[in-house]
Amino acid sequence: MQKLLLLILVSVAFSTIAEPQSDVAKSPFEERSILLGLHRGGREQWPENTVIAYQEAVKRWPDALLELDVLATADGQVVVISGAGSGFGRETALEMLRLGATVIGCGRRTEPLEETAALAEELAGQFSFRDLDIRDDEGVDEFFDWVLVEHGHLDTLVNNAGGQFLSPAEAITPKGFRTVIELNVTGTWLMTHAAATKAFIPQRRGRIFNVTLSPHNGMPGMVHSGAARAAVENMTKTLATEWSRYGIITCAIAAGQFATDTFVNKYPPAVVEAIPRTIPLGRVGESEEMAWMLAYLASEAGDFISGSVITVDGGRDNWFGPWPPGEITGGSGEPPAEERRPK
């Protein structure tokens, strides 16, 4: 299977990079994934034309060699990812699998997890999954017991599962508010506590990454989720200190607006169309970009990063919209400046 995968990756990379006139254009995300697969395969196995394609790829990604050498250390890692059936969870699972990790996904519905498993079939790592409601404390305990029986240890927990819905604050019912808190706060805590007490504390090492949300200066339309994510970020910082004596690293990764299935297909079309204009970089993120961040933190490169909230949102946490705003440029597109007296 590995030889077949290598041949497929070589073929795709050569057609993508060495033949730029091809009508089938690859996105930067696809090119980087291809490069990662080739880098892991061992260049001594490649024909000359593929070596040339690789060299061209490295020119296009000047930081790629360092990044790939650091990240390509996931062989032997055991990673649990909640919400692995879609969005950030699925992309993170696939990225870690490309790096050779053993990934165990969980989620409330079987079908999305089966879809992730199908996408993982030709990747370097091993993928398995179980249905799990992260709000069920007994179910969570049994899940981690099973993980440890099957794999013997656990290296990383990615708390990605959660949920919210767009609503004016006055329209949120007590049940709706409780549901969001239970999913995002209680569920994250149950997963974190079980992973720590059953695996990380006894083995005196482990990594916990909690996916939260940006912006941090209020979240109109999602007061329940804003409150929940703030709680998780405080939990993250507290545990980074309290469990540091066990060698446990914890970080939160606050995601801005990304082109997930939920965003694209469930938000009102007017919101989907307007959101990119609220982000300084002028676009929403791609789920792969969150996956790369999580893979980096899970690698040796993340050994000294703990207690941090890392915001991945195109600058939205700092500013609403582009800079400079069009209404103050006078049509020039240039930022305003104070007139100075001539010297």
Side-chain angles (χ1 to χ4, degrees):
M1 182 180 291
Q2 289 180 342
K3 289 184 178 179
L4 176 61
L5 175 61
L6 179 62
L7 289 172
I8 292 171
L9 288 169
V10 166
S11 174
V12 175
F14 184 70
S15 65
T16 301
I17 301 168
E19 300 180 13
Q21 72 274 16
S22 170
D23 292 335
V24 182
K26 293 289 190 296
S27 72
F29 310 113
E30 291 173 299
E31 286 192 9
R32 186 163 253 181
S33 294
I34 291 165
L35 178 57
L36 174 59
L38 290 172
H39 186 79
R40 287 178 53 81
R43 291 182 293 281
E44 70 280 352
Q45 304 174 34
W46 303 352
E48 182 179 356
N49 59 353
T50 304
V51 173
I52 294 170
Y54 175 84
Q55 292 168 345
E56 290 299 314
V58 171
K59 289 178 184 177
R60 296 172 78 163
W61 298 98
D63 63 335
L65 278 178
L66 174 60
E67 177 183 342
L68 295 178
D69 280 330
V70 169
L71 290 181
T73 58
D75 290 335
Q77 279 202 39
V78 178
V79 181
V80 165
I81 301 175
S82 65
S86 63
F88 301 148
R90 172 177 288 174
E91 292 303 328
T92 303
L94 297 177
E95 185 69 10
M96 294 302 296
L97 289 162
R98 292 185 191 104
L99 293 163
T102 295
V103 177
I104 304 96
C106 62
R108 283 180 289 170
R109 296 190 297 124
T110 301
E111 184 179 351
L113 293 166
E114 290 176 337
E115 292 173 359
T116 301
L119 293 169
E121 284 181 357
E122 299 298 325
L123 301 181
Q126 299 289 324
F127 181 74
S128 60
F129 66 87
R130 275 205 170 182
D131 296 350
L132 178 66
D133 185 339
I134 61 172
R135 298 167 295 182
D136 176 4
D137 53 343
E138 291 183 359
V140 168
D141 282 344
E142 291 172 0
F143 171 78
F144 281 101
D145 288 340
W146 169 74
V147 168
L148 294 172
V149 167
E150 291 290 316
H151 302 285
H153 73 283
L154 177 64
D155 297 288
T156 299
L157 168 64
V158 178
N159 282 313
N160 167 73
Q164 58 272 319
F165 53 91
L166 191 63
S167 174
E170 64 273 18
I172 298 174
T173 65
K175 180 181 178 181
F177 195 91
R178 278 195 302 270
T179 298
V180 171
I181 296 297
E182 288 170 1
L183 277 171
N184 294 292
V185 183
T186 305
T188 296
W189 168 246
L190 291 175
M191 294 287 286
T192 297
H193 187 267
T197 56
K198 293 176 181 291
F200 297 153
I201 292 174
Q203 68 196 25
R204 304 193 76 80
R205 62 179 176 81
R207 299 173 195 253
I208 301 166
F209 302 125
N210 299 320
V211 175
T212 61
L213 293 181
S214 165
H216 291 99
N217 54 351
M219 200 173 293
M222 285 196 177
V223 65
H224 43 16
S225 189
R229 307 305 181 143
V232 171
E233 290 181 1
N234 192 282
M235 182 196 306
T236 301
K237 294 179 179 181
T238 300
L239 295 178
T241 301
E242 195 166 334
W243 286 348
S244 61
R245 69 191 191 278
Y246 300 121
I248 297 174
I249 287 170
T250 72
C251 286
I253 301 85
Q257 296 289 355
F258 281 72
T260 62
D261 178 68
T262 297
F263 175 76
V264 173
N265 296 314
K266 295 185 178 180
Y267 280 29
V271 173
V272 174
E273 182 180 349
I275 284 294
R277 297 194 295 271
T278 72
I279 300 170
L281 286 184
R283 67 174 178 90
V284 296
E286 299 288 342
S287 294
E288 292 93 335
E289 292 172 294
M290 277 290 286
W292 295 337
M293 173 59 71
L294 286 159
Y296 177 86
L297 293 170
S299 75
E300 293 179 3
D303 281 355
F304 201 57
I305 305 172
S306 190
S308 300
V309 176
I310 300 168
T311 301
V312 184
D313 71 349
R316 172 62 182 85
D317 217 16
N318 299 322
W319 185 257
F320 185 88
W323 180 262
E327 57 268 22
I328 67 172
T329 65
S332 69
E334 294 297 317
E338 180 182 349
E339 293 187 11
R340 309 291 291 182
R341 292 181 181 179
K343 292 184 179 179

